[in-house]
Structure formats: structure tokens, C-alpha cells
Amino acid sequence: ANFERLASIVLSQASSGIEPSLGPIPSTVYPLPPRVALAICRFLGERVQATTDALNHPPLPISWAPPAKGWSGAAPPLNIGYVTSHFTSSSIGREMLFLIASHDPKRFKVHCYALNADDGSWLQHTWRLEIAKVCHKFVDASSMTDRQASLAINRDAVTALFDLNGWSGGHRQGILC
């Protein structure tokens, strides 16, 4: 009965234009109907879309050009970007250190964009430094607007961008729009 009540509250919030009190990730853990998670995701997606549309920015130019026809040289390294607020001692940060270090630098240039500032704690600072050492470029995007961060990513000619936050805390979906 409590989960039915929770589903009713969340669906009512989403349909009334109020941010749901439950996030999309927890909504998949509780025994709630899939339409609850869908309503939450739709609400959040529409909010990001409205915010992005209100900025009225033109689309970013595509900064990557395919090799000329007939070109037979070695392929240039692929620019890969990772965006997250978890370049810390969190489980994601620890895994990312090893994942990034395993990329072949002849084939990949890894760019990391941190959505949170370094809080100065020894543990977070140490992990951020270690991650920064193994990637091609580490950017603290915490003080950038979504537009500034997306322009920086575009200037870095990132061809594949991976959002490691999803809708978890600290996400900045506007950067991806």
C-alpha cells in the first residue's frame, strides 16, 4: 500500500509540473510500475529540453572531419570524453582510474570533464590527481556553464562522449544537449 501511495504521489507531481520527489534510479529499485520511472524521466528530460531551448543557442559545429577519400595512413587517435561528478574515491572514480589507464594512447586520447570542484580533501584530491595523470586532458568544468562546458568538449574534438552520472546527483544533462 505504501508503494502504491508513493506511485500516486510521484505521478501526480510529474503531471502537475512539480519535480518528482523520487529520482529515476530509485524508482527502478522500488516495486513500482514502469510508468512511474517513465513519468520521472519524461519530466526531467522535458525540463532539460526546455532549458536548452530557452538558451536559443545554435547547434555546435561538428569539429571532427573524416579522413579524405583514398587516405591510407594510420588512423589518428580517437578522442573519447568522460563527463561525471565522480572523479573521486567513489566506486565510479576507482573504476575509471583503471579504465582510463587501460586505453591505448596510440589509439585513444581520453578527455575527462569533472562536474564537481575538488573539495580539497586528501582522498578526493588524490584520486583526481591520479585520474588526471592517466588521461590526455582533465578539465574541471564545475565553474563552467553548460554551454561553456559543451563548447570546451567540442573544441577538444571529442568524438565519443560518455556521461557517467546519468540522472544521479550532480548530473548536468544540459551539457549533453
Side-chain angles (χ1 to χ4, degrees):
N2 285 339
F3 287 113
E4 291 170 9
R5 185 168 184 266
L6 177 61
S8 174
I9 290 169
V10 169
L11 290 170
S12 174
Q13 289 171 327
S15 66
S16 301
I18 300 168
E19 182 168 354
S21 54
L22 187 65
I25 295 171
S27 73
T28 62
V29 176
Y30 297 132
L32 299 171
R35 63 188 165 86
V36 175
L38 178 62
I40 294 167
C41 291
R42 183 172 286 142
F43 177 89
L44 294 172
E46 288 171 357
R47 185 177 65 185
V48 169
Q49 182 67 47
T51 303
T52 305
D53 289 348
L55 295 174
N56 200 25
H57 289 299
L60 294 174
I62 296 175
S63 58
W64 177 83
K69 187 175 181 181
W71 183 73
S72 61
L78 182 66
N79 289 312
I80 297 175
Y82 293 102
V83 177
T84 189
S85 60
H86 299 291
F87 290 127
T88 64
S89 64
S90 69
S91 58
I92 294 172
R94 290 191 297 272
E95 293 300 321
M96 286 309 299
L97 175 60
F98 302 110
L99 175 72
I100 294 167
S102 70
H103 285 77
D104 179 354
K106 292 178 185 166
R107 298 180 56 212
F108 303 100
K109 286 185 179 178
V110 178
H111 303 260
C112 293
Y113 303 91
L115 301 179
N116 59 324
D118 188 336
D119 68 7
S121 68
W122 177 84
L123 197 53
Q124 183 190 31
H125 184 71
T126 301
W127 276 99
R128 283 172 72 104
L129 285 177
E130 292 304 311
I131 291 169
K133 284 180 192 175
V134 298
C135 66
H136 176 74
K137 186 174 187 179
F138 188 92
V139 177
D140 181 344
S142 63
S143 62
M144 296 179 180
T145 65
D146 288 352
R147 180 70 177 177
Q148 290 169 331
S150 63
L151 286 168
I153 293 165
N154 190 261
R155 274 192 304 273
D156 291 338
V158 170
T159 344
L161 183 64
F162 299 93
D163 171 25
L164 303 177
N165 272 60
W167 290 104
S168 64
H171 71 83
R172 302 256 311 268
Q173 297 297 322
I175 292 172
L176 306 170
C177 293

